Amino acid sequence: MEDNYKIPRHVAIIMDGNGRWAKKRLLPRKAGHIQGARTVEQICEDAYNLGIEYLTVYAFSTENWNRPDDEVEALMNLLRKYMLDAIERCSKNNMRVRVIGDKSRLAPDIQDSIAELEVKSSVNTGLKFNIAINYGGRDEIVRAARAFAMDVKEGRVEPEALTEDMFHNYMDTHGMPYPDLMIRTSGECRTSNYLPWQLCYSEFYFTDVLWPDFNKKELQKALDYYNKRDRRFGGV
Ligand code: FPP
């Protein structure tokens, strides 16, 4: 790696293409999600080894509830299993896990596991891994606006005091730097309600590779692309 090679501090990923990966192999869509979950674990390790500090993945959107019941159930079971395994593993892999999104609609046992995992892993100093579950960017902004309005109503803050930084404190990603790079797999070129506030100045990398096939080599390609960009943040 060259001396001036830049590693993005925060990478956000839309893990798309699990269904197509399964279809190509004549497998049920669920099999694509299972393989996708394995890819998540490997990419966390690779990202950390490459020096990435924050990784945020889109596991389940507010719109994903509209999928067939059996697929929603399969995804929830995968996430349930992931949380339980991660509670065991997080001391070993030193990862700090946080879930963003509206957790209140998740099954109570999943909410409990998430709370336990977040507390237990909060002392860890390795990769800061965020999982977006029942996440929608517009929903996040509305929830933040509601929380701010509540603070105004209760007299804790004046409306005029609101700044962009202060508003971010009301959002699920409070305390995190904004993503430098957003990766979407499987050829779709849109952001699908993912981190609209946070991605304003991020570089976007789109690849045709399906999520279950995404690996360290593909992540490295995304970083190479990022290194060719000239980020000006509205300056010259
Ligand atoms: C999009 O592919 C993928 C999802 C909606 C689910 C992503 C979830 C995982 C990778 C597994 C669980 C995650 C963790 C953190 C353990 P798609 O099904 O829309 O693919 P398609 O467009 O080919 O149908």
Side-chain angles (χ1 to χ4, degrees):
M1 244 181 255
E2 304 152 34
D3 279 353
N4 56 357
Y5 195 86
K6 298 185 297 282
I7 299 293
R9 248 188 114 188
H10 186 170
V11 175
I13 306 185
I14 301 181
M15 314 181 286
D16 199 5
N18 294 347
R20 275 162 284 171
W21 183 92
K23 195 171 176 204
K24 268 182 25 187
R25 288 163 179 77
L26 306 175
L27 295 168
R29 295 178 56 81
K30 192 172 118 174
H33 297 313
I34 293 173
Q35 192 56 39
R38 293 193 187 113
T39 302
V40 170
E41 288 188 33
Q42 186 57 49
I43 288 299
C44 281
E45 209 179 303
D46 296 335
Y48 187 58
N49 290 335
L50 283 164
I52 292 165
E53 264 179 79
Y54 293 82
L55 182 69
T56 302
V57 299
Y58 208 176
F60 195 92
S61 73
T62 45
E63 291 73 31
N64 285 153
W65 297 107
N66 299 326
R67 293 192 175 205
D69 289 351
D70 61 331
E71 185 170 351
V72 169
E73 196 185 321
L75 280 166
M76 285 299 146
N77 282 336
L78 261 179
L79 292 168
R80 173 178 281 114
K81 185 173 177 309
Y82 180 88
M83 299 306 155
L84 292 172
D85 291 348
I87 291 170
E88 293 303 312
R89 257 200 334 261
C90 70
S91 322
K92 258 189 250 154
N93 62 20
N94 199 22
M95 226 158 73
R96 193 188 83 186
V97 186
R98 221 161 102 179
V99 170
I100 62 168
D102 181 0
K103 291 173 256 199
S104 68
R105 197 177 160 184
L106 304 178
D109 70 299
I110 301 184
Q111 292 187 43
D112 290 348
S113 301
I114 290 172
E116 189 179 343
L117 176 59
E118 287 183 334
V119 170
K120 190 170 176 205
S121 71
S122 64
V123 292
N124 293 349
T125 54
L127 180 74
K128 293 170 185 69
F129 181 46
N130 307 304
I131 311 174
I133 307 178
N134 190 27
Y135 176 87
R138 289 178 180 167
D139 177 68
E140 182 190 26
I141 292 170
V142 169
R143 284 187 287 108
R146 207 180 282 140
F148 174 71
M150 212 46 134
D151 275 354
V152 171
K153 190 176 160 196
E154 310 273 322
R156 285 187 287 266
V157 61
E158 293 294 328
E160 300 78 19
L162 188 65
T163 61
E164 290 183 9
D165 284 347
M166 196 205 276
F167 194 65
H168 188 218
N169 287 336
Y170 287 92
M171 300 182 75
D172 298 342
T173 53
H174 61 90
M176 301 179 200
Y178 295 137
D180 306 289
L181 172 67
M182 194 282 287
I183 299 172
R184 180 169 190 156
T185 57
S186 94
E188 249 49 87
C189 296
R190 51 178 178 264
T191 56
S192 303
N193 206 7
Y194 192 42
L195 304 169
W197 172 281
Q198 297 86 342
L199 294 178
C200 285
Y201 278 103
S202 312
E203 298 295 335
F204 288 4
Y205 177 78
F206 298 103
T207 171
D208 287 338
V209 173
L210 304 176
W211 176 251
D213 293 327
F214 197 80
N215 56 24
K216 190 173 185 182
K217 207 173 111 210
E218 298 300 331
L219 178 60
Q220 188 67 66
K221 277 191 210 167
L223 299 196
D224 291 348
Y225 169 85
Y226 174 77
N227 269 270
K228 291 198 197 97
R229 314 307 305 165
D230 174 19
R231 302 184 78 198
R232 291 190 297 273
F233 298 97
V236 285

